[in-house]
Amino acid sequence: MDRRIQSVSGGAATEPERVAGSTEPGSLAARLASGRVLVAPGVFDGLTASLVEQAGFEAAYVSGASIAYTRLGRPDIGLVSMAEVADTITLIRERVPLWLVVDADTGYGNALNVQRTVQRFERAGASAIQLEDQTFPKRCGHLSDKSLIPAPEMVGKIRAALDARQSAATLIVARTDAVAVEGFEAAIERARAYAEAGADVLFVEAPKTREQLAAVARELGKATPLMANMVEGGRTPILPAPELQALGFALVIFPGGAVRSMARAAHDYYATLAEHGTSDAFRDRMYDFDQLNAMIGTPEMIERGRRYESR
C-alpha cells in the first residue's frame, strides 16, 4: 500500500513515498484498478480515522461536510476553509497510514487556488484530492439549488491540479454536480471532458436511481476508475459495495455515516443526562474510561514514553 506516512502509533514519521507512476504496484491507482471495490468511510478527525483503521478498512474519506458539521456545527455550504481541511488532514495522517481521499470542494477559488490547495493537501498527506465543478460557495451535493461553473473552466482546474501535484501517485478526483443542475446527459458529457483533461478518478454526484448509477458506469466505461457516493437520506439510493462493484465502480464512499451516528448518540446522551442528572442510564451505550483509553492506545503510548525517561 502506498501509505504516505507512518502513523504515530506505528513509529516515527517518514517523508511521503514518491513513485514514478500512478499505477506503480502498491499505489492507490493500482488498488483501484484491481477489480475489487475500495470502500472509504468518512472521517473528520484522528479518532474516527483510528476507528476506521481498527475496523480493517484500507482507505478513508476526509469529508468536508463532516468537518463542517463537527468543527463548525454548520451545514456544508462552503464555510470550511482550505486551511481547516489541511489541518484536519495533518492530524489524521499523524494517526493512521490509510489512503486518504480528501474532499477539496471547489479548490477554494480559481485554477491558481486549486494549485495551492493540491500542493498543501498533498504535503499534509492526501492520497487523492477531489475537486468539484460547482460555483463558490458550494453546497452539499445532495442539497438543492446548486450552480455550476462552465465545463471549460473546470477542465482548466483539473489541468492546474495535475500540474501542481508533486507525485503522480497523488490522484485527482473530478466530480460533477451536473445531474441536479443540467441533467444526467450533461453530467456524463462533463465527466467525459474531465477524463480527457486527465482526471484520475471520475465522480458523478447524486444519480437519482440505480438505473442512473448503472448508466454512469456503462457510459463512462472502464478507462477511468469511477467513484460512488452513498449518503444516508440523500438523493442516491444506498447500494451495497459488492453491487456497486458489479455495476463497475472502483471506489465507494460513505462520507457522513459516522457523524450522523455520533450526532444521534450524543443527542441521546445529553438528553439522558439532562433528564436524570447522571449518565448511568446511558452506560451500556458508551465506552467507559478504561475501554476508551485501550482503544486509542494509551497504555502503549505511556509504555513507549518510558523508554525516554532518565535512568
Side-chain angles (χ1 to χ4, degrees):
M1 183 183 297
D2 175 30
R3 291 177 169 179
R4 297 286 163 170
I5 195 167
Q6 286 182 283
S7 69
V8 170
S9 61
T14 62
E15 288 297 316
E17 178 185 354
R18 299 301 172 185
V19 298
S22 62
T23 56
E24 188 79 9
S27 68
L28 177 55
R31 175 63 178 82
L32 294 178
S34 70
R36 296 181 294 113
V37 68
L38 179 64
V39 178
V43 299
F44 50 86
D45 59 13
L47 176 62
T48 50
S50 67
L51 290 168
V52 166
E53 182 186 31
Q54 289 174 33
F57 290 97
E58 301 172 79
Y61 180 77
V62 182
S63 164
S66 293
I67 294 171
Y69 301 154
T70 56
R71 291 191 67 168
L72 308 182
R74 293 296 186 183
D76 181 21
I77 54 173
L79 300 175
V80 176
S81 71
M82 184 263 281
E84 288 168 325
V85 178
D87 289 346
T88 302
I89 301 167
T90 299
L91 293 171
I92 291 172
R93 177 53 76 214
E94 288 177 358
R95 186 64 180 87
V96 300
L98 302 169
W99 284 310
L100 298 180
V101 182
V102 179
D103 179 4
D105 286 349
T106 65
Y108 310 98
N110 63 17
L112 296 180
N113 296 106
V114 165
Q115 291 198 313
R116 183 165 183 258
T117 297
V118 168
Q119 290 165 351
R120 184 157 181 187
F121 284 12
E122 186 178 34
R123 284 196 303 269
S127 309
I129 299 167
Q130 174 198 304
L131 299 165
E132 63 195 50
D133 58 6
Q134 285 195 51
T135 57
F136 185 83
K138 57 76 57 84
R139 293 192 177 204
C140 171
H142 291 255
L143 290 175
S144 301
D145 299 324
K146 298 180 290 184
S147 59
L148 306 179
I149 61 174
E153 182 179 348
M154 181 61 178
V155 165
K157 285 187 171 187
I158 293 168
R159 291 170 51 211
L162 295 169
D163 287 344
R165 65 183 177 183
Q166 182 180 346
S167 169
T170 303
L171 305 185
I172 302 301
V173 181
R175 163 178 150 178
T176 179
D177 285 73
V179 171
V181 181
E182 299 175 344
F184 183 78
E185 292 302 324
I188 297 298
E189 289 306 310
R190 279 180 174 258
R192 288 194 180 112
Y194 304 162
E196 290 173 3
D200 299 297
V201 180
L202 298 178
F203 174 17
V204 177
E205 173 67 300
K208 299 175 182 177
T209 63
R210 185 190 184 283
E211 289 69 30
Q212 284 193 346
L213 282 166
V216 167
R218 183 174 63 251
E219 294 295 329
L220 296 177
K222 298 182 179 179
T224 306
L226 303 178
M227 173 171 150
N229 183 16
M230 300 287 102
V231 177
E232 299 83 0
R235 309 268 173 159
T236 303
I238 301 290
L239 300 183
E243 187 171 348
L244 289 164
Q245 175 180 304
L247 290 177
F249 289 89
L251 173 63
V252 54
I253 60 172
F254 289 79
V259 71
R260 276 186 277 278
S261 298
M262 294 170 79
R264 174 64 182 270
H267 175 274
D268 292 348
Y269 167 77
Y270 291 130
T272 298
L273 182 60
E275 179 180 357
H276 301 288
T278 176
S279 60
D280 283 347
F282 210 82
R283 290 285 296 276
D284 62 344
R285 288 177 279 172
M286 59 194 294
Y287 287 130
D288 67 17
F289 181 80
D290 289 335
Q291 290 170 326
L292 181 60
N293 276 287
M295 188 199 73
I296 62 177
T298 303
E300 293 83 359
M301 293 196 75
I302 290 175
E303 182 59 31
R304 192 190 318 153
R306 289 196 179 105
R307 298 195 311 234
Y308 305 102
E309 294 176 356
S310 299
R311 294 176 184 251

